[in-house]
Amino acid sequence: MKKSKLLRALCGVCAVGMMLTACGGTGTGSSTPAGESGSQAASSGKTLTYWSMWNSTEGQAKVIQEAADAYEAATGIKINIEWKGRDVKNLIAPALDAGEKIDIFDQDYVFISNTASKYAADVTQMVEEAGLEEHMLPVLVETAKSYNDGALKVIPYQPYTSGVWYNKAMFEAAGIEKVPATFDELLDVCEALKASGVNPMTCDQGDGTALLVGYQLARYLGQDGVLDLINNTKWAEVPEAKKAAEDIHTLFANGYMSEYAPANYPDGQNELGYGETAMLLQASWVPNEVVQNTGAEIEWGFFPWPAVEGGVDGVEAAMVGAQGYAIVETSEYKQEAFDFIKTVVTGETDLKMAQAVSSIPADTANTEWPQAVSGAEPYFKEMTKSYLWAVGLQENGNYKDYIQEAINQLCKQEIDATGFIDALSDL
């Protein structure tokens, strides 16, 4: 028994050592003797503080904790993880402004690249020297660099994409042989599902309704067009804005949405788990959440939000994103932090995280996707345009609450498309 435990411990140390060197040599962060990587030169007794966006009970947290334990076994460097949950987004700036010693934090990669970039170290050189960019999705790297004049201040991990997740068995029972590529075809699919006795679609209030309206606007106008609409209050001047609102209103007015939609989160998405509804527009974390919440066994299908007649964008454009790691600019241990992060976002640990929570692998060398999200893989590879979350409808702090209220009223059929445009034009 003792011998077996010792062998397992040694194997864990060896595995981390291989992960630390899998992507090439390390860069120049904190002081490192010439010819040695940060991990090889690291002395025991160092402690790095990492504020995590996960809760300790989540699958991501368990994989990250295993990686931290293995990294400490291999290097003598302890990663002290404080599980802050999603509130880290609000906590990190005040903490760093107050002088709290934090070496690593994680959050949405756009949040780090944009809102929190002043706290994040430029990791461009370390990534280049380690050959890490070869393992990263180009669309994520280029989007992150665009916020900081070409500097990379985040290391993306656990990528996600967004689109329509559906129950394949319900499609088959309704006689649907192909997924819709246009909005008119989506309406036909909804009609067939409704006739088969199931709710065609559902959504939750907030993000769910914002995604519906955001996507439909972007199909007509593109990302830049949506931002122009919001920031310059052009709702009444752009006919496509009203047309998009009419389209979304049709989904509800024709009975293609569940009678409970828009529901309180996560009641809407859970309808898929309870076999009540066939489709949901959301991000690729939904299959895992539905399984966790309902215990359902679903054969998931996926298709991008459809194109519209005369529109600017099609299925090549989507909300593609990721979580991301930031190394704090004031950290004394930038190289050590980078070495640890590299073990999480590449190789076996990255694959383990993907399998644990049915997410997309971050390391492009990990080509086997979990079954629940595998339907998105062929589309994901063809996506060339990256939308902001909700296509920017939640970006403008002055207007986002008013926009969301109008969206919810539209989806609840408290106002029609004209009322929606009038409400937003008054801003």
Side-chain angles (χ1 to χ4, degrees):
M1 181 68 73
K2 290 181 180 179
K3 183 177 180 181
S4 176
K5 288 182 178 179
L6 177 59
L7 286 172
R8 287 199 297 270
L10 288 172
C11 288
V13 171
C14 291
V16 173
M18 287 187 287
M19 284 189 285
L20 287 169
T21 57
C23 299
T26 54
T28 55
S30 58
S31 58
T32 303
E36 295 184 358
S37 73
S39 59
Q40 290 169 330
S43 60
S44 62
K46 292 181 181 177
T47 297
L48 277 64
T49 298
Y50 162 21
W51 278 25
S52 176
M53 65 178 287
W54 307 110
N55 296 302
S56 61
T57 55
E58 293 182 279
Q60 295 90 338
K62 293 176 182 178
V63 174
I64 291 169
Q65 185 63 66
E66 286 181 17
D69 292 342
Y71 181 75
E72 182 178 4
T75 67
I77 302 171
K78 180 176 178 58
I79 308 294
N80 176 39
I81 307 176
E82 298 189 22
W83 305 107
K84 299 294 184 181
R86 307 309 182 267
D87 277 351
V88 75
K89 190 172 187 176
N90 302 316
L91 298 173
I92 192 67
L96 291 171
D97 287 339
E100 183 109 21
K101 295 199 73 169
I102 302 167
D103 300 284
I104 304 168
F105 67 93
D106 58 359
Q107 236 311 315
D108 178 83
Y109 89 117
V110 170
F111 170 82
I112 293 173
S113 300
N114 187 8
T115 307
S117 63
K118 71 175 184 178
Y119 303 106
D122 183 353
V123 296
T124 308
Q125 184 178 351
M126 285 190 283
V127 165
E128 180 180 342
E129 293 182 0
L132 184 56
E133 191 164 337
E134 298 172 8
H135 294 254
M136 300 160 75
L137 291 164
V139 66
L140 298 179
V141 175
E142 294 308 311
T143 300
K145 286 182 176 180
S146 71
Y147 285 97
N148 292 285
D149 298 322
L152 185 63
K153 293 202 167 188
V154 65
I155 300 173
Y157 77 103
Q158 200 179 39
Y160 64 82
T161 189
S162 53
V164 180
W165 301 90
Y166 69 92
N167 186 319
K168 283 187 174 182
M170 288 183 175
F171 269 49
E172 291 173 6
I176 300 167
E177 297 181 352
K178 67 174 186 175
V179 296
T182 69
F183 188 73
D184 287 342
E185 290 177 1
L186 176 64
L187 297 179
D188 292 339
V189 166
C190 287
E191 187 62 38
L193 287 164
K194 183 180 177 182
S196 75
V198 300
N199 298 320
M201 294 189 75
T202 190
C203 66
D204 290 306
Q205 290 191 63
D207 279 348
T209 52
L211 293 181
L212 282 170
V213 174
Y215 254 121
Q216 198 67 0
L217 284 168
R219 290 306 192 232
Y220 283 108
L221 301 170
Q223 175 69 85
D224 291 343
V226 174
L227 292 176
D228 184 48
L229 194 72
I230 298 166
N231 296 328
N232 296 302
T233 323
K234 291 185 175 180
W235 298 92
E237 302 170 32
V238 180
E240 291 86 352
K242 184 176 180 181
K243 182 68 174 81
E246 289 172 347
D247 293 342
I248 298 304
H249 189 266
T250 295
L251 289 174
F252 289 86
N254 286 12
Y256 297 152
M257 282 286 179
S258 162
E259 63 179 306
Y260 304 109
N264 293 323
Y265 172 83
D267 294 345
Q269 65 184 46
N270 285 349
E271 290 179 30
L272 275 75
Y274 295 129
E276 299 166 353
T277 299
M279 295 185 287
L280 175 79
L281 171 63
Q282 249 298 346
S284 49
W285 51 71
V286 153
N288 181 61
E289 289 186 352
V290 169
V291 170
Q292 287 183 329
N293 292 341
T294 68
E297 293 185 7
I298 297 175
E299 186 179 359
W300 292 95
F302 173 90
F303 59 88
W305 189 253
V308 298
E309 185 176 353
V312 171
D313 287 343
V315 297
E316 79 287 350
M319 282 167 270
V320 177
Q323 311 311 335
Y325 275 113
I327 299 173
V328 177
E329 176 61 41
T330 56
S331 171
E332 300 176 36
Y333 304 122
K334 292 185 180 69
Q335 183 65 60
E336 291 84 351
F338 178 81
D339 287 346
F340 165 67
I341 291 168
K342 190 167 64 176
T343 71
V344 177
V345 303
T346 61
E348 292 182 9
T349 301
D350 169 61
L351 187 59
K352 184 182 290 186
M353 184 177 294
Q355 293 169 340
V357 295
S358 296
S359 63
I360 298 170
D363 186 347
T364 55
N366 287 328
T367 57
E368 186 174 344
W369 289 27
Q371 186 280 326
V373 295
S374 61
E377 183 180 8
Y379 298 103
F380 192 79
K381 291 178 178 177
E382 301 299 322
M383 290 176 185
T384 57
K385 295 181 180 178
S386 178
Y387 289 158
L388 295 169
W389 182 250
V391 201
L393 293 179
Q394 298 172 343
E395 290 293 301
N396 191 312
N398 294 321
Y399 302 133
K400 65 178 183 179
D401 291 341
Y402 298 101
I403 293 171
Q404 186 63 60
E405 178 59 26
I407 289 172
N408 286 340
Q409 288 179 327
L410 176 71
C411 294
K412 291 177 181 179
Q413 301 181 73
E414 295 172 355
I415 57 175
D416 59 11
T418 300
F420 176 78
I421 296 300
D422 289 344
L424 295 180
S425 297
D426 288 344
L427 295 178

